[in-house]
Structures are given as structure tokens and as C-alpha cells.
Amino acid sequence: MSNTHMSRRTVAVLLATATVGSMAGFMPAASASAPASSLTVADFRQANPHAEERNKRVAVHVLRQLFEEGNLKVADQYIRADYIQHNPLAADGREAIKNFIRDWHARFPDHVYNVKRVIAQGDLVVVHSNPVFEPGTRGSSVVDIFRFDKKGMIAEHWDVVQEVPETTVNGNDMFGTVSRPRTNQPGPRWMTPLSQKVATAYFDTLLVDKNPDAVRYLTPEYYQHNPTIPNGSAGLREQFTNFFRQFPNLIVERKRVIAEGDLVAIHAHYRLNPEDRGQAVVDIFRVGKNGKILEHWDSVQDVPSTPPLNDNTMF
């Protein structure tokens, strides 16, 4: 195993230590008799007067219809023709998505998207999912981020994709909720400012400022869903003190924060040094009413070395 590979593995494991029940029935709110594929923009707006809730339901609807049904009509309905793509393996534009889905659905006709949690703030929606391409496989941990325009059309997309491993050291899968209440739905919206403040302060103190004292923001149990990290916050201060000594040129750039209720998603670029391509990471935190971080999920993806199919970077 090369030193470079070992370094990247160290980042994925150690950084994830700090930052790092399915949403059954999370379907667009429509009449019981209306099939999901027949829903219109007007249906969503009528059922969900608040733009953020409407955008959440549209994002889930589009993902399921495209990947599970191969329904290209939803792309015409909800995605702008000049759609901006940040996945390095895909080109810009609505027609590029449609071409991709034609090929994908032909290869994986039994694909199930398995949406787990959805967060919205302003014009951004985060969808945390476990897509399973073929029955019987573990699938991937995927975080999709969508930006909606003022007309309710999807204008831009980022994502992070990670394979789901066979086992985890903490006994938790990459998607469930362990802390109480055990729901994948965001908590009450009045918690949003507190949750965003706490999660951002923790992230910036630890990873931007490289200050291990940031572990004071965590509860002792700190439930972990990164498959390589044990539960609990004990020992993290020493572990990160050693890590920052090992990688003094570490650079972590926070790109965007999306918070709703007790859930906060932080999209960031992690690099060992200025020359490193690094990793795209989305960390999702759950914050308790006492202002301490209870639980953490993430997806981590290396920034590829091959030339991307668009000019937008992953961030």
C-alpha cells in the first residue's frame, strides 16, 4: 500500500471521527389516487405551500422517478435546460442527465434509491440516501445537494458517493438513527439556528482552526455512523492533537451549510496539503436541545484525477 493511499485513508478515518429507519412513506404529498409519476409542479405547490418543503418533495420525486423508473419526463418538468453539474463524471445540462439515465436504467433496471433523510434551507436541498443498484448488494452512501431557482426548477447539483462496507466498527449502519427520538426526519424548525451555530462552530474550531478543544461540543456518547470509527467522544482530543502534528499542512475548506431542525449538513473540501486534490465530504450532524452534537453521518469521496466532464469542480 502506497504512502499516498495510507495518507488518504488516514484522512478518511481520522477526520471522520470528528466531523466525520428509512424514510418510509416519504413521497410527494398528493392525493392518494394520484400516482407519483403524474404529479405536476402545481400539485406540489398546492400540497406544500412552503417552498422548502415543496423543494424537498420534488428532489425525492425526481431521484426516484429517474433512477427507479427511468422516467425522463420528470427531467423536463423539474430540471432546467442549463442545469449546472458538479459530479465530475457527468456533463452539464438537462439532456446530459437524460442520456445518462437512459444508459443507467438499461444497466440497472432494479435500482432502488432508498432515501433516508432530507434537509432543506433556503434554495438548497440535501438528500442522504442508500442507492442499491442491484438486489442483494449493499449499495452506496450518497449525499445529493440540489439548488432550486425562484421558479422551483432544479438549477444545480453536487454529490458525494461512497461504497457501503460489509462491516462497521461501531455496530451502526451508515444510515439509521440511534439517538432519541429515533427518526430520520429533521426536528422542529425552531432548533435550526441553534443547530447550525453549534455544528458550524465545532467544524470550524476543529478542522479549520485545528483546535482539538472542539470536542467540548460533543456529547460523551456521540453516535458515529462512519463505518471505521467507534462511538463516543472520549480520547478524541489526544487523537486529533496527534493527527494535526502528523499533518500540519491540512486544509479544510467549508463550502456550504444546510440546516433544518436538529440536522446540519456541511459540504467541504479536505486536503492534506495545498498540492493534494483531496476529498469531497458531506458531514451530517444531529444536535440535541442542550446544544451538544449527538450523532454523525458522512459520505467521503476522493476528488478524481481524471479530467472531469464539466468545468465546475466538485464544490
Side-chain angles (χ1 to χ4, degrees):
M1 184 178 292
S2 69
N3 290 336
T4 300
H5 185 78
M6 284 296 293
S7 296
R8 289 190 180 280
R9 184 177 180 184
T10 301
V11 170
V13 172
L14 288 181
L15 288 181
T17 307
T19 60
V20 192
S22 173
M23 288 188 65
F26 191 96
M27 295 294 293
S31 64
S33 60
S37 59
S38 69
L39 296 173
T40 67
V41 173
D43 290 329
F44 283 112
R45 286 176 175 163
Q46 183 177 1
N48 297 280
H50 300 293
E52 291 175 357
E53 288 299 319
R54 178 263 177 195
N55 290 347
K56 287 165 66 172
R57 295 182 185 277
V58 169
V60 172
H61 179 64
V62 168
L63 286 170
R64 285 178 168 166
Q65 285 297 302
L66 287 177
F67 285 94
E68 296 182 356
E69 305 297 333
N71 178 9
L72 302 181
K73 292 181 180 178
V74 295
D76 295 320
Q77 287 178 297
Y78 300 114
I79 299 176
R80 285 172 52 137
D82 60 351
Y83 172 79
I84 301 168
Q85 176 65 263
H86 292 271
N87 183 311
L89 302 180
D92 286 329
R94 181 170 62 208
E95 290 305 313
I97 294 175
K98 292 166 70 174
N99 290 335
F100 175 83
I101 291 297
R102 287 188 186 98
D103 294 339
W104 186 267
H105 196 65
R107 292 175 59 197
F108 304 107
D110 298 318
H111 186 156
V112 179
Y113 218 79
N114 291 324
V115 173
K116 300 298 182 178
R117 52 186 53 80
V118 186
I119 307 167
Q121 186 176 40
D123 59 357
L124 296 176
V125 174
V126 174
V127 184
H128 183 207
S129 306
N130 174 212
V132 176
F133 311 146
E134 297 178 305
T137 62
R138 294 183 297 274
S140 300
S141 171
V142 177
V143 178
D144 292 287
I145 303 175
F146 298 98
R147 180 177 65 84
F148 284 76
D149 68 14
K150 293 181 179 179
K151 295 182 179 179
M153 298 287 285
I154 297 174
E156 195 164 5
H157 170 258
W158 302 259
D159 63 2
V160 177
V161 181
Q162 177 182 349
E163 291 185 5
V164 175
E166 185 175 352
T167 61
T168 71
V169 301
N170 48 52
N172 306 322
D173 65 30
M174 294 186 72
F175 307 101
T177 301
V178 179
S179 59
R180 296 183 182 277
R182 291 182 178 173
T183 174
N184 290 348
Q185 298 278 5
R189 287 185 179 269
W190 64 261
M191 288 190 63
T192 301
L194 171 65
S195 299
Q196 184 165 342
K197 180 179 179 180
V198 169
T200 304
Y202 170 63
F203 187 95
D204 288 354
T205 302
L206 184 72
L207 294 170
V208 179
D209 300 336
K210 302 176 189 177
N211 182 356
D213 289 341
V215 298
R216 69 181 183 272
Y217 289 100
L218 307 177
T219 61
E221 60 271 24
Y222 185 52
Y223 298 111
Q224 179 63 255
H225 294 272
N226 181 294
T228 62
I229 307 300
N231 291 320
S233 60
L236 290 186
R237 188 189 309 275
E238 180 179 358
Q239 188 172 6
F240 273 91
T241 298
N242 294 334
F243 178 74
F244 295 141
R245 287 173 182 164
Q246 184 179 2
F247 297 100
N249 296 319
L250 174 73
I251 301 169
V252 177
E253 297 176 280
R254 174 164 53 84
K255 299 298 182 177
R256 49 192 54 82
V257 179
I258 305 97
E260 181 186 348
D262 57 356
L263 297 178
V264 183
I266 299 181
H267 184 207
H269 187 191
Y270 291 63
R271 290 180 290 162
L272 290 173
N273 55 63
E275 291 73 40
D276 184 24
R277 291 189 309 275
Q279 297 173 312
V281 181
V282 174
D283 294 289
I284 301 176
F285 302 98
R286 192 182 200 193
V287 180
K289 294 179 182 179
N290 63 351
K292 297 286 188 177
I293 298 174
L294 296 166
E295 196 160 3
H296 167 260
W297 305 259
D298 66 359
S299 287
V300 180
Q301 180 180 348
D302 287 342
V303 175
S305 58
T306 54
L309 296 181
N310 57 67
D311 298 322
N312 306 317
T313 81
M314 292 186 72
F315 307 98

